[in-house]
Amino acid sequence: MTRQSAVARPNGVVTGFSTILTVVTVIAVTTGLVLLSHSDDSAVLPYVALLSLGSLTVFIGIWRSTALTAGMVFGVALILHVVAIFGFAAFEDDYFRFIWDGWRLIISGSPYGIAPADFFGKSLPDNGLALTLDGVNNPHLPTIYGPTLQFIFSLAYLFAGTDPAGLRIFFAVINLILVALLLRWTSPEKAALYAWCPLVLAETIIHIHPDGIMAMLLLAGILLAKHYPLLAGLFFGLAAGAKIVALALWPLLLRMGWRAVASAIGTLAFIYGIFLIQGQGAGFDSTGVFAADWYYNPMGFALLDVLLPSSIARLSAALIGIGIIMVLHARTRSLEVAPIAMIFGAILLFAPAVNAWYLLWILPFATKSRMVWPFAAAVALPLSYLTGLNLENPALRDFEVHGMAWTVQIIILLAAIFWDYLRFQREKKAGDPAEVLRTPIAQPQVAVVIPALNEENSIGEVVRDIGSQNWSEPPCIIVADNGSTDRTVEQALAAGAIIVREPKRGYGAACLAGISAAPPDTNIFLFMDGDGADVSEEGPALIKPLTDGAADLVIGSRALGQKQTGAMTFPQQFGNWLATRLVWLIWGTRMTDLGPFRAIRADALDRLNMADRDFGWTIEMQVKAVQQNMRITERPANYRRRVGISKISGTIRGVLLAGNKILYVIGREAFFR
């Protein structure tokens, strides 16, 4: 036996022992929850304690484990689900509505439009339905649950009647399907964080909540997206039909293609249409009541509710949440790393009602990340069961969470979020491309590309000025004529420039033509306008960070330099401010300008695969450089009043076209790539 294997073996023994201990613990915790669920309401404190501590213990036992296999994870999950089926929903009563809805769908074709209270005092087919009706909460409101869930409720009713075991079995099977999908999506250890979590088992099976159905459908859609976009859209549509909150992930459909988008819209319209054509609605009226009035265990919304009137607080929370969600979508680099847990977390952060089972939206997708806060939430949110009703505390309203329990939840979540933030900052600093110097360019071969359209009064002087600067090697100056009808070409040739013609109009098209005409040994490209506004003397300074190996792209920032009076119009300045703020908001990179005066290493330019042929050229270059983690720096660039009238800022049409194209490119790069 080698020394290495002799050292490794004890570690394997320890890891195996830890895994066995974790499995025994989670089985014991689940069994304990089942037994306590059959006790009277006085068991709420030990029940909540076991649920929270059990979730914490399992998380600690699995978080750094490397000894699990897919078969083991699923096998233990199967045992846990079977055990949980014998539980009782002692502290929840939502399942009465599910059974009622299933019966209503079967006998009438729709569970919508008629409140359960309308059946009070009426004859029902059997005593089981009468008991179910008595248990329905908020009976004066018609159901809010979506069509996808209604079909499942009806199948469970056909299978088991009013016995909630039917729902438990159906939800357990669906959750096991989700576990199987997770095992295809992530590692066995990460999948076990969800599959073995006591909170998941309690909320899905013991408490009989269907929120995991939405997560299963969404994950199925994500796994199918690459090869089967139509099916992916189908599952996304069914997910929104289960929980309307699934719409928060629908921007991901844009990355899957138009077929996925059309399939999702068509599916959702179809399943809702089945009920809407019956004329009794589809639960939107009751959903509106809950959205306007329901208040339970809020997190961030609690602060808004203190500072603002209730209706304004709810509107503000919705707008803030939507804004955060859209930024998270825009920052998504690919479908595989979409921050789904963060998206649903943003919803819960500003939701007026936060129930423990809402974590079923988050936890499956948190397994793909290294974030701690979702699993800390699985420890914290069981405390929300400590309400006036469950504690039998007359000092509290029925659905008011005990103040100490609410405070402990907040402390746990804030501590976990802070931990994740510190870890993120450490990893960001360690991987910051700005900390890494590339090989300096000892012999810079600079190609200066000047797109030009009818610039006969300035182009000659611009070419002569750029050529007369103190370059280590004379630059190749290329004027890309974009269909000039004056003497631009003649003036540029006389000044010593190389001419390349691009008759198809467009700033980007001219730049691409200029690049194609550059000598093969070019290692730096410098772009500038031919209207005399850029200061040619600043060219050598602009390329210095590239030759030093300190940057891949250098922007000459007019915002950081001195601008001659009237050099930039208000629309130009506002457009630059808005576009650069959007880049910072979406991608987290601060810039101040989209100016045309810029320099880039040739190898970096090749990787960008530039394609825009008109006004989106500059923003496309900067956004793609950010997306590829290139090192971008800005240098102050002075700016003069141009010679002649600008084709963009000089006309209203040009301003509108340029502004729309810049916003389009930002949106395209954010949501469609």
Side-chain angles (χ1 to χ4, degrees):
M1 180 181 292
T2 65
R3 175 177 173 81
Q4 182 179 4
S5 62
V7 173
R9 186 174 177 180
N11 292 336
V13 171
V14 171
T15 303
F17 177 76
S18 174
T19 301
I20 293 172
L21 182 61
T22 301
V23 171
V24 172
T25 299
V26 72
I27 293 175
V29 168
T30 305
T31 303
L33 291 172
V34 169
L35 294 174
L36 287 172
S37 73
H38 287 277
S39 304
D40 57 28
D41 289 347
S42 63
V44 67
L45 283 172
Y47 184 88
V48 167
L50 184 61
L51 190 52
S52 291
L53 294 176
S55 296
L56 176 61
T57 303
V58 171
F59 170 72
I60 293 173
I62 297 175
W63 182 246
R64 297 191 181 278
S65 174
T66 58
L68 303 182
T69 65
M72 181 181 184
V73 171
F74 191 83
V76 173
L78 179 61
I79 294 171
L80 296 172
H81 283 61
V82 171
V83 172
I85 285 173
F86 294 96
F88 176 71
F91 313 110
E92 280 298 323
D93 56 7
D94 286 350
Y95 68 92
F96 288 111
R97 172 78 72 162
F98 307 156
I99 295 171
W100 181 261
D101 284 0
W103 172 71
R104 287 278 303 137
L105 177 56
I106 290 170
I107 66 161
S108 67
S110 175
Y112 298 110
I114 300 177
D118 293 342
F119 288 83
F120 288 161
K122 295 183 179 180
S123 176
L124 293 171
D126 56 58
N127 189 52
L129 279 171
L131 293 174
T132 298
L133 178 59
D134 288 341
V136 172
N137 57 29
N138 298 294
H140 59 289
L141 291 175
T143 187
I144 65 172
Y145 297 101
T148 303
L149 295 182
Q150 297 297 344
F151 297 138
I152 295 172
F153 297 160
S154 63
L155 290 174
Y157 183 84
L158 288 173
F159 174 71
T162 58
D163 187 344
L167 287 168
R168 284 197 178 90
I169 293 171
F170 268 75
F171 291 177
V173 170
I174 292 171
N175 201 57
L176 285 170
I177 294 173
L178 176 54
V179 171
L181 294 175
L182 283 173
L183 288 168
R184 294 183 62 87
W185 192 54
T186 187
S187 68
E189 294 80 18
K190 296 297 186 182
L193 287 171
Y194 175 83
W196 298 357
C197 179
L199 179 78
V200 171
L201 297 163
E203 297 301 345
T204 302
I205 306 171
I206 299 176
H207 301 167
I208 322 180
H209 284 117
D211 295 68
I213 296 172
M214 177 191 74
M216 184 275 290
L217 293 167
L218 288 172
L219 183 54
I222 290 170
L223 290 172
L224 289 166
K226 184 175 182 179
H227 299 292
Y228 306 100
L230 282 173
L231 283 178
L234 170 69
F235 280 107
F236 266 63
L238 291 173
K243 289 280 181 174
I244 204 69
V245 72
L247 291 176
L249 293 195
W250 273 35
L252 294 179
L253 293 167
L254 299 175
R255 301 175 186 276
M256 302 178 194
W258 67 268
R259 289 181 295 175
V261 174
S263 177
I265 294 173
T267 298
L268 189 62
F270 177 75
I271 60 176
Y272 266 107
I274 292 172
F275 299 104
L276 289 172
I277 61 174
Q278 298 181 50
Q280 296 181 19
F284 300 131
D285 48 352
S286 297
T287 301
V289 172
F290 277 98
D293 299 335
W294 196 243
Y295 185 92
Y296 176 77
N297 191 43
M299 302 296 169
F301 178 78
L303 179 61
L304 291 176
D305 201 48
V306 169
L307 298 176
L308 301 170
S310 180
S311 59
I312 297 177
R314 289 175 185 268
L315 177 61
S316 300
L319 293 176
I320 294 171
I322 291 171
I324 293 174
I325 289 168
M326 296 310 293
V327 168
L328 289 171
H329 274 294
R331 289 190 174 192
T332 299
R333 298 294 177 88
S334 69
L335 188 62
E336 290 73 20
V337 295
I340 299 173
M342 293 289 290
I343 290 168
F344 285 133
I347 294 174
L348 295 193
L349 177 61
F350 292 100
V354 180
N355 292 294
W357 57 87
Y358 292 169
L359 283 178
L360 298 176
W361 312 345
I362 295 174
L363 291 176
F365 304 104
T367 61
K368 193 77 167 181
S369 71
R370 296 181 58 202
M371 297 182 299
V372 171
W373 70 263
F375 303 99
V379 176
L381 285 187
L383 297 173
S384 65
Y385 281 105
L386 300 179
T387 63
L389 182 64
N390 289 334
L391 291 171
E392 298 181 346
N393 186 344
L396 298 173
R397 295 186 300 275
D398 283 353
F399 296 104
E400 180 183 358
V401 177
H402 193 284
M404 182 63 70
W406 184 84
T407 303
V408 172
Q409 288 182 87
I410 297 298
I411 291 173
I412 292 173
L413 287 171
L414 288 177
I417 291 170
F418 184 64
W419 174 278
D420 284 333
Y421 173 77
L422 291 178
R423 179 185 55 78
F424 172 77
Q425 290 300 320
R426 288 194 301 269
E427 292 178 354
K428 181 179 179 182
K429 185 176 182 180
D432 188 353
E435 301 292 328
V436 182
L437 286 176
R438 294 186 63 182
T439 304
I441 300 176
Q443 294 183 318
Q445 302 294 325
V446 181
V448 182
V449 177
I450 307 174
L453 173 63
N454 293 334
E455 305 288 3
E456 65 176 358
N457 295 323
S458 58
I459 191 65
E461 184 176 353
V462 169
V463 171
R464 284 188 291 270
D465 281 351
I466 197 69
S468 67
Q469 302 309 310
N470 186 24
W471 303 97
S472 58
E473 294 286 341
C476 173
I477 304 174
I478 303 167
V479 171
D481 181 63
N482 205 204
S484 298
T485 57
D486 61 3
R487 300 181 66 250
T488 295
V489 171
E490 290 85 344
Q491 294 290 343
L493 281 171
I498 296 172
I499 302 297
V500 59
R501 298 180 185 273
E502 174 52 73
K504 188 172 182 180
R505 294 290 176 88
Y507 184 86
C511 289
L512 288 168
I515 293 168
S516 67
D521 61 346
T522 299
N523 49 31
I524 291 176
F525 283 94
L526 176 67
F527 297 90
M528 63 184 299
D529 280 352
D531 56 14
D534 298 321
V535 180
S536 302
E537 290 85 347
E538 297 171 353
L542 203 64
I543 72 166
K544 191 174 188 303
L546 305 181
T547 59
D548 290 345
D552 298 304
L553 170 63
V554 183
I555 308 296
S557 172
R558 298 165 295 184
L560 299 178
Q562 299 294 320
K563 295 186 290 294
Q564 188 177 14
T565 302
M568 289 184 71
T569 64
F570 174 75
Q572 280 180 292
Q573 295 185 61
F574 176 76
N576 272 306
W577 176 87
L578 177 60
T580 54
R581 290 307 180 277
L582 287 173
V583 170
W584 170 72
L585 184 65
I586 295 171
W587 290 284
T589 299
R590 294 184 180 275
M591 299 177 184
T592 62
D593 197 7
L594 308 181
F597 200 24
R598 57 186 55 212
I600 186 171
R601 292 176 66 120
D603 54 356
L605 183 61
D606 287 341
R607 297 204 311 272
L608 294 183
N609 192 26
M610 294 291 293
D612 195 273
R613 301 185 65 83
D614 47 52
F615 307 117
W617 169 267
T618 56
I619 187 63
E620 181 190 30
M621 180 182 292
Q622 287 167 243
V623 167
K624 284 185 173 180
V626 169
Q627 290 175 328
Q628 295 191 30
N629 292 320
M630 291 185 181
R631 298 158 311 150
I632 306 169
T633 189
E634 291 186 319
R635 290 290 183 270
N638 296 324
Y639 200 63
R640 301 174 296 212
R641 295 183 65 178
R642 62 161 288 135
V643 176
I645 299 175
S646 171
K647 289 80 175 174
I648 299 176
S649 60
T651 66
I652 295 177
R653 180 177 181 273
V655 169
L656 292 176
L657 288 175
N660 287 336
K661 185 56 182 288
I662 289 170
L663 294 176
Y664 166 77
V665 170
I666 292 174
R668 181 193 68 198
E669 296 297 322
F671 295 106
F672 288 86
R673 294 188 64 86

